[in-house]
Amino acid sequence: MRFPIITGHTGNDGTAANSLDSVIKCISLGADAFEIDIRRDENSILVLTHNQQSQDVYDSCLRLTEVFEIAGKHPEICINCDLKDDNLPLEVATLAASYGIGPDRLILTGLVAPTFLEKYPEVKKMANIYMNAENLLEKIYFELVSGEKAQISRHMFYQNPWRHLREVITDIGPYISTLSEKCRQLGVRGINLPYRCLTDEGVVEFNRNGIPLSVWTVNDETEITRFLKSNVENVTTLNVSTAKSVRKDLFGF
């Protein structure tokens, strides 16, 4: 695959989030990958939804098997499974493999705990993993919080991790070396970060450390251009058409 790649954020280009329309739109626009949010419902079925839901809502959600079945017929596109529940990486990667979707096409982001990868290192051979920074900063966050914030549980933290992180870690710059070292220790592909927390200097430092970056969710053409020019590996966007046009102008593909 040629880098940088363009990933269609779920709900891209005017489609509903975590819908079949969003998947098909990404395929039709020629995105390199499409993103979907994954949770396990109360019956242990993997479904597409961003937020924790009641079972009656889960019942109406698209199932991951339906998406993998379609993706299996389109070998030109990768699938970025953004995991929203604990302990999903091996289950998702195993299911993907059963549909012929291997490490060349499967990307895992979201809730991928370092302790899980230490217990199940085989996952790293089944998918490209871009570690969300909150997974690597979780311990630091809970060491820094005090008083009322200390009452936030790990489950609550992961319902909206960046809202909590921004309350105590206002600048990610001082943690770039820590993030880079943890990434190397885990042997994962790279880091997945919200673009708003990355300065140009931060991108340069990650590049200097040899850590590939995946940034989300970059929708403005100026910002898309900035990150595509800055040597990131992936830009996740709601505007696939715009991102592809910018990349074509910059790199010719």
Side-chain angles (χ1 to χ4, degrees), residues 1 12 56 137 139:
M1 180 179 292
N12 69 288
D56 61 324
L137 294 175
K139 183 178 179 180

Side-chain angles (χ1 to χ4, degrees), residues 31-251:
D32 300 296
F34 62 82
E35 182 211 36
I36 49 178
D37 300 316
I38 308 299
R39 286 187 182 271
R40 184 191 291 110
D41 75 4
E42 295 173 12
N43 298 313
S44 296
I45 295 171
L46 298 175
V47 297
L48 274 62
T49 182
H50 184 279
N51 298 325
Q52 188 176 25
Q53 309 285 1
S54 60
Q55 185 56 43
D56 61 324
V57 176
Y58 284 139
D59 287 339
S60 67
C61 293
L62 192 64
R63 295 188 177 192
L64 183 56
T65 52
E66 297 175 74
V67 176
F68 280 166
E69 185 172 358
I70 291 171
K73 299 173 183 176
H74 291 274
E76 74 279 8
I77 197 163
C78 297
I79 305 94
N80 176 9
C81 291
D82 198 56
L83 309 180
K84 300 300 183 183
D85 284 331
D86 249 334
N87 302 318
L88 290 181
L90 184 58
E91 186 175 353
V92 170
T94 301
L95 183 62
S98 72
Y99 284 87
I101 301 167
D104 57 326
R105 297 181 57 207
L106 183 63
I107 299 167
L108 297 181
T109 56
L111 214 176
V112 182
T115 51
F116 186 95
L117 292 181
E118 290 164 2
K119 186 175 181 180
Y120 301 102
E122 63 267 30
V123 175
K124 291 180 284 187
K125 297 180 180 180
M126 303 171 74
N128 282 297
I129 299 172
Y130 290 91
M131 291 290 290
N132 279 37
E134 61 264 29
N135 297 320
L136 302 178
L137 294 175
E138 175 193 336
K139 183 178 179 180
I140 293 172
Y141 167 82
F142 283 106
E143 289 173 349
L144 291 173
V145 296
S146 60
E148 186 176 327
K149 290 188 181 68
Q151 303 304 312
I152 295 173
S153 68
R154 185 172 182 273
H155 176 76
M156 291 168 62
F157 173 79
Y158 275 106
Q159 295 310 300
N160 196 336
W162 276 100
R163 178 174 67 81
H164 296 303
L165 276 176
R166 282 194 296 265
E167 292 177 354
V168 297
I169 298 177
T170 57
D171 180 10
I172 202 169
Y175 298 93
I176 290 177
S177 293
T178 298
L179 289 168
S180 299
E181 181 58 30
K182 289 186 176 185
C183 202
R184 283 191 291 268
Q185 289 174 353
L186 288 168
V188 294
R189 177 74 191 186
I191 295 278
N192 188 44
L193 285 162
Y195 83 95
R196 292 183 186 278
C197 76
L198 276 171
T199 62
D200 290 341
E201 293 76 16
V203 174
V204 169
E205 187 171 351
F206 274 115
N207 287 338
R208 188 183 300 121
N209 288 331
I211 304 300
L213 288 175
S214 170
V215 294
W216 54 272
T217 303
V218 195
N219 302 320
D220 177 75
E221 184 172 351
T222 300
E223 290 295 278
I224 291 171
T225 302
R226 176 167 80 95
F227 281 102
L228 288 178
K229 289 173 68 175
S230 67
N231 200 33
V232 300
E233 277 203 351
N234 172 67
V235 169
T236 297
T237 180
L238 286 167
N239 298 321
V240 171
S241 298
T242 298
K244 286 197 66 185
S245 177
V246 170
R247 186 177 66 179
K248 178 73 172 177
D249 291 341
L250 290 174
F251 302 108

